[in-house]
Structure formats: C-alpha cells, structure tokens
C-alpha cells in the first residue's frame, strides 16, 4: 500500500465567515460556500473542508474547537485502500462511506481517513529565474510582484500529541501505515514522509507536555519571494503572524506562519528538502534548532 499525500483536511470551525475570508486571502480556491460550511481547493486538487464545529456529521475532535477534525490521506490504488482497512480493523473501528473513503481514528484521537488520490498537475505559470554573478538565467526581464499568495498544494500537517504515549502514537503511523521517519527528534517528535512521496515530511507529530491539538498546515508556494510577498499580503488583510519569517533547520524550507481562525496556524512554505529512499533516517537526541536563520529587526 502507498499513501501518497494529504488529500483533504476537515476543520470544525466557530466563525465560518472569518475562515472563508482567511483561506481566500491565503490564496486557496473557493470551491463552494454555504450556510453550514465551505470548501477550498488547491491547483493540485486537494481540499480544505470547513464545517461548523457542532456539525453532527463530523468526527469527534481531539481538541477544543475550532480545530481539525479529520486528515484524509490519499492512496494510490484500490488494493492499497483495502490493505489499510484490513490493517486498521485489527484494533479499531473502520467505517466506509458512500464514496468508498475509510474513516478511523489514530492513537491520539485525531480523525483519519483514506481515499483514492486524484491529483492534478498545478500550472505554476512561468518560473522565476535567478541571476548570480556570471550565472545569468534572466535576461531583459524585470521582475514583477506576486502581490498575494497562490499556494500550489497542501504540503504537510503538524499535529501536537501528548508526551505520555507519544512513542506508540508515532509508531502507529510508521508500523501500521508505512510512513517513513526522516528526522526523529527524541525530545520533540518525528518528521514523517508518506510511503509514496518524497517530501521531507507530510506529517510531523510533535509532543507536548499534556495535550493534543492542531498545530499547523503548510501550503507550498513557489519560492522565497512568494513566501515574503504572500505573507505581506496576509498582514495587509489584517491576519496576525505567529512568528517571524525564517528558514527551518529540519526540512530547510523558508516559512511564514499566520494564526488561522479554523485552529492552529497556516505556514506559507517554499523550497523544502526532498528525500528519496537513499536518505537514511536521522535521529537527534536533542532538537538541532528550529531554524537556520530568522529575521532580526
Ligand atoms: Fe511546517
């Protein structure tokens, strides 16, 4: 079986109008909006579903509202889906909905689901080229502004899990769902890659003293400039940055984080590491540090 990516995220929200405005400002494409919810998409055909927190059709929350209610993982074949269902049925309830999507819960209590992946190739437009000394990639072509973020895809989610029992909570994804640990940080948590992907991480389980919660979703934008310009646009729309811009140590991506009215934060991310199967899992006794650099003012 191979899980290949995040297919969708479902949030239980309290202020739907604010969430609709937020994800629109973040550059997600509005697919539908109604009185009880809204759906946004990426050019790669992944979705963010917003539903009212008291919607009885939602999986139970692992933390107080507003928060994430389910992560839907995309798998690459009907056989893989069947294998996941059989594996999880060994020790937990698995239900199948009318569209063939399997629903269950992870060890922490986060809703998890599995469905056939349906990717589209995002049209990223013309690539921005860079000049350096005698390496000239851009002739006679002044740059123009991105003006606002236009994420191409949902890149990863970070979930907070309680410290107690964190080993089993992390091992569930590795042993049962075949995620591959890329960076195991023994005092923080584990960065994991889907079996069928090459990202540094699609999932980071980060342990906290005593509680579970939604930490953030990262969306991938084209490059460093778009992280900066897109972040500036978010600030102009009144959204609050939750930390200063920087470049992560693990994953190497540049980032800007904003508080999200659907819970947790959103990360505008670019230039993350890709790891193929030749990369050996790194184990760190202590966290090597949050960032390579961050903006000083
Ligand atoms: Fe992140």
């Amino acid at each position: 079986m191979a899980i290949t990516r995040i297919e969708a995220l479902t949030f239980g929200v309290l202020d739907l109008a604010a969430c609709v405005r937020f994800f629109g400002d973040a550059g997600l494409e509005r697919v539908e909006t109604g009185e009880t919810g809204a759906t946004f998409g990426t050019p790669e055909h992944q979705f963010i579903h917003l539903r009212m927190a008291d919607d009885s059709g939602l999986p139970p929350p692992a933390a107080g509202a507003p928060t994430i209610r389910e992560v839907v993982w995309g798998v690459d074949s009907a056989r893989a889906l069947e294998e996941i269902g059989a594996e999880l049925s060994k020790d937990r309830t698995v239900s199948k909905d009318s569209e063939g999507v399997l629903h269950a819960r992870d060890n922490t209590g986060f809703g998890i689901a599995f469905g056939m992946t349906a990717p589209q190739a995002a049209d990223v437009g013309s690539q921005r080229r860079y000049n350096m000394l005698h390496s000239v990639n851009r002739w006679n072509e002044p740059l123009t502004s991105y003006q606002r973020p236009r994420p191409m895809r949902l890149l990863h989610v970070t979930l907070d899990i309680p410290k107690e029992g964190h080993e089993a909570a992390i091992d569930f994804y590795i042993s049962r769902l075949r995620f591959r640990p890329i960076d195991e940080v023994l005092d923080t948590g584990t960065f994991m890659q889907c079996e069928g992907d090459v990202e540094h991480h699609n999932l980071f389980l980060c342990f906290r003293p005593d509680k579970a919660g939604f930490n953030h979703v990262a969306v991938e934008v084209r490059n460093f400039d778009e992280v900066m310009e897109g972040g500036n646009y978010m600030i102009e729309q009144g959204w609050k940055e939750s930390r200063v811009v920087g470049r992560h140590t693990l994953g190497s991506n540049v980032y800007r984080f904003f508080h999200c009215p659907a819970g947790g934060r959103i990360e505008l991310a670019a230039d993350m590491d890709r790891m193929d199967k030749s990369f050996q899992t790194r184990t760190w006794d202590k966290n090597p540090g949050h960032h390579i650099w961050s903006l000083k003012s």
Side-chain angles (χ1 to χ4, degrees):
M1 66 179 170
I3 295 171
T4 58
R5 65 174 191 168
I6 297 167
E7 207 68 17
L9 303 173
T10 301
F11 291 88
V13 308
L14 298 174
D15 186 342
L16 181 61
C19 293
V20 167
R21 195 166 70 78
F22 179 84
F23 285 104
D25 288 344
L28 280 295
E29 301 159 357
R30 195 190 301 193
V31 178
E32 59 182 32
T33 334
E35 298 222 329
T36 58
T39 294
F40 285 81
T42 70
E44 291 260 306
H45 208 240
Q46 298 152 296
F47 298 96
I48 287 180
H49 302 293
L50 306 173
R51 299 289 180 266
M52 296 309 295
D54 60 0
D55 186 329
S56 60
L58 290 178
T67 194
I68 200 158
R69 301 295 278 267
E70 189 168 66
V71 178
V72 184
W73 295 101
V75 300
D76 60 1
S77 70
R79 186 187 170 128
L81 201 53
E82 228 172 81
E83 286 175 9
I84 290 169
E87 174 62 34
L88 296 189
S89 296
K90 289 176 183 170
D91 67 347
R92 65 199 69 211
T93 303
V94 179
S95 62
K96 184 190 279 193
D97 69 21
S98 59
E99 293 174 349
V101 176
L102 305 179
H103 301 267
R105 303 187 83 188
D106 73 3
N107 284 27
T108 307
F110 290 107
I112 49 174
F114 306 88
M116 292 293 294
T117 187
Q120 286 180 356
D123 176 6
V124 299
S126 60
Q127 299 285 326
R128 187 168 280 196
R129 293 181 291 275
Y130 294 88
N131 292 336
M132 186 184 68
L133 195 60
H134 304 303
S135 171
V136 180
N137 296 295
R138 197 179 70 251
W139 290 102
N140 310 317
E141 189 186 315
L143 295 181
T144 54
S145 169
Y146 286 123
Q147 298 188 334
R148 56 181 300 172
R150 292 284 182 203
M152 299 174 288
R153 60 172 168 162
L154 307 179
L155 191 59
H156 61 255
V157 286
T158 293
L159 304 176
D160 293 338
I161 59 174
K163 185 167 188 186
E164 187 175 344
H166 72 270
E167 296 94 342
I170 291 168
D171 187 61
F172 167 77
Y173 283 92
I174 296 168
S175 298
R176 310 285 300 280
L177 296 170
R178 300 189 190 173
F179 280 68
R180 186 164 79 105
I182 297 295
D183 279 302
E184 292 177 312
V185 189
L186 300 181
D187 65 354
T188 307
T190 299
F191 295 81
M192 288 176 267
Q193 182 188 71
C194 297
E195 185 182 15
D197 201 12
V198 296
E199 292 306 318
H200 173 270
H201 64 286
N202 308 92
L203 174 66
F204 174 37
L205 291 182
C206 179
F207 58 85
R208 303 280 168 177
D210 59 358
K211 64 178 170 60
F214 176 66
N215 190 303
H216 71 268
V217 54
V219 295
E220 184 179 11
V221 296
R222 285 163 282 189
N223 52 38
F224 176 78
D225 290 327
E226 193 176 355
V227 170
M228 297 302 288
E229 287 189 55
N232 287 350
Y233 178 81
M234 295 293 282
I235 288 169
E236 286 161 11
Q237 304 314 305
W239 304 110
K240 299 283 183 245
E241 209 167 7
S242 70
R243 63 165 76 243
V244 296
V245 59
R247 187 180 275 275
H248 277 309
T249 306
L250 301 180
S252 305
N253 60 292
V254 286
Y255 59 78
R256 283 187 94 170
F257 283 85
F258 290 86
H259 292 291
C260 172
R265 300 168 296 157
I266 196 171
E267 176 185 9
L268 302 180
D271 193 25
M272 176 169 268
D273 292 333
R274 268 69 163 169
M275 271 70 181
D276 66 17
K277 301 298 181 220
S278 68
F279 186 84
Q280 299 292 312
T281 299
R282 298 184 293 189
T283 300
W284 308 82
D285 289 335
K286 288 196 179 312
N287 194 317
H290 178 269
H291 49 261
I292 296 170
W293 61 262
S294 70
L295 190 67
K296 293 190 194 309
S297 57

